[in-house]
Amino acid sequence: MTATRLSSGGSAIDRSRPVSFSFDGRKLQGFEGDTLASALLASDVAVVGRSFKYHRPRGIWGAGVEEPNALVDISGSVATTPNTRGTTEFVREGMIARSVNASPNAAADRNAFIDRFSRFIPAAFYYKTFMWPDWHLFEPRIRAVAGLGEVDTGWQSPGPADQINRHCDLLVVGAGPAGLAAAKLAAGAGQSVILVDDQREPGGSLNHRTGEIDGKPAAAWVAETIAELSAAGHIVLPSTTAFGIYDHNLVGLNQRHVDGRPDTLWRVRPSRIVLATGAIERPLPFTNNDLPGIMSADAALIYLRRFAVLVGRRIIVATNNDSAYEVAGALAEAGAGVTLVDCRQDGTPAAPEGVSRMAGRLVAEARGKMRVEGAVLDDGTMLEADCVAVSGGWTPTIHLFCQARGKLVWSEAQAAFLPGDPVEGIVVAGAAAGATSLSDVFEGTAKAMPGAAAAPRSTGVEATGGILAAWPVPGARGRIWIDYQNDVTAKDVELAARENFISVEHLKRYTTLGMATDQGKTSNLAGLALMGAATGRTVPEVGTTTYRPPFTPVPLASFAGARGGELMSPVRRLPLENVHRAQGAVFQEYGGWLRPAHYGGADADRAIQDEARRARQSVALFDGSTLGKIEVMGPKAAEFVDFIYYNTMSTLKPGRCRYGFMLSENGVVFDDGILVRLDEHRFVVSCSSSHVAAVHARLEEWRQDRFGRDAVCIHNATSEMATLTVSGPNSKKLLVALDLGLSLDDTDLPHMAIGEGMLETDPVRVARVSFTGDRSYEVSIRADRAERLWARMHEAGKALDAVTIGLEALMILRAEKGYIVIGKDTDGTTLPHDLGVDGPRAKRKSEYVGRRSLFTEVARPDSRQQLVGLAVARGEEPLATGAHGISREGGKLRSQGFVTSSYHSPTLARPVALGLIERGAARHGETIDIQHLGMVRRATITGPCAFDPSGERLNA
């Protein structure tokens, strides 16, 4: 290859703005608008990288996202980014680019010697070689040499990436002739359009291929169409890749910026999608077809017409189809000596002026070492050349169509997979649908847009689509490369066939075909054809691998967006936060909520103990607004809560409450709390504060799975209502003083019942439930009315010596009573019968979430860890939370469980603790060793409830 920059031309570059950059330490110059690849070609840099396994020299193959070779790490004046594709990265002043997988650089890689041993390291050699004596002996070294590029450990984030959500009538992916025509027709029909293209300038193939539309040069028609769309308010997004189609036709877009900003992630939900994604040119199979200077014919034309780079002086254009003829003619017109080698004998276009054509001939072998120097044809003819531009046919870019569950059909005439049966809401147009000429493109697009105005017309020279399939064949001599980046050769595919890895998915994993950063965009089809030939199958019988997003790499920062710090996990705040602060509350974060830990005093421990003691003596006020208030409504609401809960809930009467567990599918306790039944078809799930979001998502997931919206509706009202709790022996007196207009008599409002009242003109709901073991009332009111209720409670509480308590005091009160906190007194293995709740497991016959898991082998042993209380002698310090109960077996220590909660009880004047201990329910009264940080103490296993085990204080 002897590439040069021409003195004129280049529609993509601005010659008045030179740009200096460096590659592998060599200072180079390009122009504004150059990609790194075009600037390297203009400077005649032949070797831009090294292959992954054998470290063979690699040159530029393509001009877009299909590029398998030109991977570089960039830094300097731009954000440090590893493994950037040189064909899609634009040069900028001060950019530093370095080839990957090469030391010290691509031109002089000291690891190039590995290629000499290639016969000993074919596909899957490591599966066979490093299994004995132990894979782990080799793993660290293998991992050290694996991978491409280097991560900058000092990298600093440029800031959060933007994320945008949009709806539109039509999303058009691809701004080539088909995409522009579809957008123009839809806009003319009054539809809202978003048009995206991964190139900096719209136009697609019209930017470098000859064409005339509606009597205008292609470039003028493109500019006019874009101007019309923009003027009408439609969204045109250049440098934007549609990387995935997800459920319900949600399309992910990644928009790149040239001003240093992080990429922008777009989530678009269109009514319809037009995929005008074009096609990718394939290589031809011949020996040494990976040498630098061997490149895509279409890429050679792009570099010539877009960047004014002539890729060689003596160029062989090898082809099996008509599309390379325009390339050969343009290269010859630019001053290169061009030989066109067409494997077809008949039915070909006329040779372009100035081009020598050799029909019915194949390139059999490329010659050269660090760059191509010539080629040998199948008849032995030797041609000197500094560039071989090849066109092995075109593969429609159907990745997004397949991601949307579209099925493919094989076209023998076009030697390619084409979109099959339509997918609802998605149309494939242009080259992606197999169209070749502009007339075919516009005709197909018009059919896909019924009711639109007349489509554009091609009024110039038309492309033709003749092709003769040229696939690699089994038994060929020499090294024929299928996957350039991962060093997969034809012999590797044949080896996979001999070892019976003939499934397309096995082939992929056995050889790593298509697993490189280009995801096989140029290599997959050749590999499938060779596997078919080796096993006596056709290409469609071999099949294709699964197409998964993303189509091209998307920065993780785009997915993260602004979610960092509080934006990653926003701290949720109480409606009365400012009131609590004015009352001296000390705040801490609990389960994502900012809540009062205690009130007043520099001595936190003393303040917490005082709050817990006074709460038992008179009456305590507590802000419980964080408790979940998720409404379940509908004609099948009762059936739904029965399925969701471990307990049977449909027997609950309106106006009553019941405590219950929710289980995960594996039977583990997921959450606990109170379920309130308001009427026959309406329930309120009062779940744990820290689990509100998870429980809401869980309810919605199971509703979607088993019930329609006409049967059950879920509404999370947690933030709409404040819940203020009154607890203690004098709680009823305080509530009477509030005069809420409802009867508080125990016959009218017994424990686990609700009542409706009024605070002046505002409705309130009073639930008589307790998390302290004392008589308690939870009063719920509109969040914006809560301050008035809280003030009234404080005023009424003055005569009763009321105390305002924080969460730390509440934790003491509930532990005294043996009430659990999910995630603290349970772990990821705790089943409901471990907590002493075995009734539903033994008696329920109906299905509920997690039921089958409760009868598995692991759920049955009596040795499971069970909830217990742990008592130490009066006067001792509380046990450490997390300390292990231990036993000594054979001279070794073994954990029997651990302490889950531990506090000093001011009411009992001694420590109280809860724990999960093996066979704990049957070991009450037994004393065990508790070890923490090397210190061993003694504790007696008791029942979980240490305070008022008879429950008399609930009605005191």
Side-chain angles (χ1 to χ4, degrees), residues 271 285 321 586 621 820 920 923:
S271 300
N321 66 89
V586 176
L621 305 179
I820 62 171
R923 298 169 66 185

Side-chain angles (χ1 to χ4, degrees), residues 585-715:
V586 176
F587 280 79
Q588 292 183 20
E589 185 180 339
Y590 299 92
W593 286 92
L594 200 61
R595 306 175 66 179
H598 62 87
Y599 289 80
D603 189 337
D605 289 339
R606 178 176 296 180
I608 293 166
Q609 289 284 306
D610 183 61
E611 289 174 14
R613 176 183 54 80
R614 292 176 60 192
R616 292 290 189 205
Q617 294 173 347
S618 179
V619 61
L621 305 179
F622 174 73
D623 190 341
S625 300
T626 59
L627 289 170
K629 294 171 277 289
I630 304 174
E631 297 195 15
V632 178
M633 301 164 282
K636 291 190 177 182
E639 180 184 342
F640 178 75
V641 295
D642 266 354
F643 179 73
I644 288 294
Y645 276 92
Y646 173 59
N647 320 60
T648 299
M649 294 299 191
S650 59
T651 56
L652 189 62
K653 295 181 180 180
R656 293 295 187 261
C657 314
R658 184 171 294 166
Y659 175 78
F661 291 148
M662 292 185 189
L663 309 183
S664 297
E665 289 88 335
N666 59 5
V668 171
V669 178
F670 179 79
D671 191 57
D672 70 339
I674 301 295
L675 181 71
V676 180
R677 188 167 197 170
L678 299 180
D679 59 40
E680 183 181 0
H681 301 304
R682 187 180 178 195
F683 296 80
V684 177
V685 177
S686 181
C687 55
S688 304
S689 300
S690 59
H691 292 168
V692 173
V695 168
H696 183 211
R698 182 183 183 81
L699 295 177
E700 188 59 44
E701 178 182 2
W702 282 113
R703 183 205 64 75
Q704 293 180 24
D705 182 71
R706 296 176 66 92
F707 300 87
R709 287 194 181 275
D710 57 343
V712 177
C713 182
I714 313 292
H715 173 62

